[in-house]
Amino acid sequence: MAVSVSVGALVWGGTVYADSAPITNRPEPDATALTVDGTAVPFRAVSIAMARERSTVVSDSGGAASSSPDFWQMKTGNTTPAERLVDRARRDVVRLQVQLELAKVSGVDAPTSYPQVLQAWQLENGRRAEALRTGKPVYGPQQFTESDYLDYFTGNLSQATESALVKRGRLDDSESGARRFQRTHQDRFPGTFDTIRQQVTMAYVESQYTELLDRKIDHVSVRGTALLAELPRYRCVADGSC
């Protein structure tokens, strides 16, 4: 069963999960949690995103009571910490999927789904292991965790997509544009333009890329499954073992 959700906020339909029995089993990693413009996103992606967002939700919720078994189901306002955690994770995986799609339409040769990102992660770790075995240099970690690889991957993906969009004329890297950007961001880029030209131009292109990505996210079609709607009730969300 699919549940339509808005991109801006996950709607819980008025269900009070704090009064519902917790779900004790764990979702299957490959189970579809949501679709983004028709592309299935597995629960595994949501799980990684929840782990990355967990400390932020705890901090925003006060933090002191996070060790309490009831913390994640305590209503504050209209939501629980568990609901907010799932919502933040959903936003993260939607953003990643839109990044993959934008890279694809820009002509960048890169994964187009989370399972393909996982394959790229495994290949990269295999490449690093082989380099170490044969005495070749390895820059950065010897092996990436899944979460650390996402940072490495998305950083490279953004740069490749920005370059492709500049070549296609969809992003501006002109000197005049970069100079205007510096004038409106003097607090970030003090000094003369010629001494920091490259830094300013990179930031100018990056800002355009981020704006383009945000616009696409605002108009993307996201459909959550029953798994996503029920996820705040899962005990593994509360104890961090999903």
Side-chain angles (χ1 to χ4, degrees), residues 7-241:
V7 175
L10 191 57
V11 179
W12 303 102
T15 304
V16 181
Y17 289 107
D19 297 331
S20 303
I23 300 173
T24 57
N25 63 305
R26 297 178 185 176
E28 291 295 326
D30 294 334
T32 298
L34 66 155
T35 62
V36 181
D37 278 348
T39 299
V41 178
F43 171 72
R44 180 168 181 163
V46 178
S47 175
I48 288 292
M50 285 196 298
R52 292 160 66 96
E53 293 284 4
R54 194 174 184 85
S55 61
T56 299
V57 172
V58 169
S59 177
D60 290 349
S61 302
S66 62
S67 60
S68 165
D70 299 323
F71 167 79
W72 292 96
Q73 298 300 332
M74 291 178 180
K75 282 280 185 180
T76 54
N78 296 320
T79 62
T80 66
E83 290 169 356
R84 292 193 290 277
L85 178 62
V86 172
D87 188 40
R88 290 184 70 93
R90 180 196 62 84
R91 291 168 186 254
D92 290 348
V93 298
V94 168
R95 189 174 192 84
L96 173 59
Q97 186 56 49
V98 174
Q99 282 182 282
L100 297 179
E101 179 60 27
L102 181 56
K104 176 183 175 181
V105 300
S106 301
V108 176
D109 183 15
T112 58
S113 66
Y114 196 78
Q116 291 180 12
V117 173
L118 292 179
Q119 291 176 2
W121 167 50
Q122 293 160 357
L123 286 172
E124 179 61 23
N125 276 348
R127 185 192 69 78
R128 287 170 181 260
E130 178 63 16
L132 289 169
R133 188 186 69 79
T134 56
K136 295 178 181 178
V138 172
Y139 302 99
Q142 295 183 1
Q143 294 282 278
F144 281 110
T145 65
E146 186 173 344
S147 182
D148 286 344
Y149 180 75
L150 282 175
D151 290 332
Y152 170 81
F153 170 78
T154 54
N156 288 338
L157 183 70
S158 296
Q159 291 179 13
T161 307
E162 288 168 14
S163 295
L165 290 170
V166 166
K167 289 180 180 178
R168 288 170 174 250
R170 295 194 60 191
L171 297 183
D172 176 33
D173 68 343
S174 67
E175 178 179 333
S176 59
R179 285 183 180 275
R180 286 195 304 272
F181 183 78
Q182 184 194 18
R183 286 196 296 270
T184 58
H185 298 82
Q186 283 288 346
D187 56 331
R188 289 176 57 192
F189 305 106
T192 62
F193 177 80
D194 288 338
T195 60
I196 53 174
R197 177 194 299 263
Q198 184 177 11
Q199 180 185 358
V200 173
T201 302
M202 289 176 61
Y204 174 50
V205 171
E206 182 182 357
S207 71
Q208 295 172 75
Y209 170 76
T210 300
E211 290 173 2
L212 176 61
L213 191 61
D214 287 342
R215 289 197 300 271
K216 287 186 172 295
I217 290 170
D218 285 342
H219 294 91
V220 77
S221 173
V222 180
R223 289 180 62 83
T225 63
L227 167 60
L228 187 70
E230 294 173 350
L231 193 54
R233 292 174 51 210
Y234 275 75
R235 186 165 290 168
C236 63
V237 171
D239 64 25
S241 65

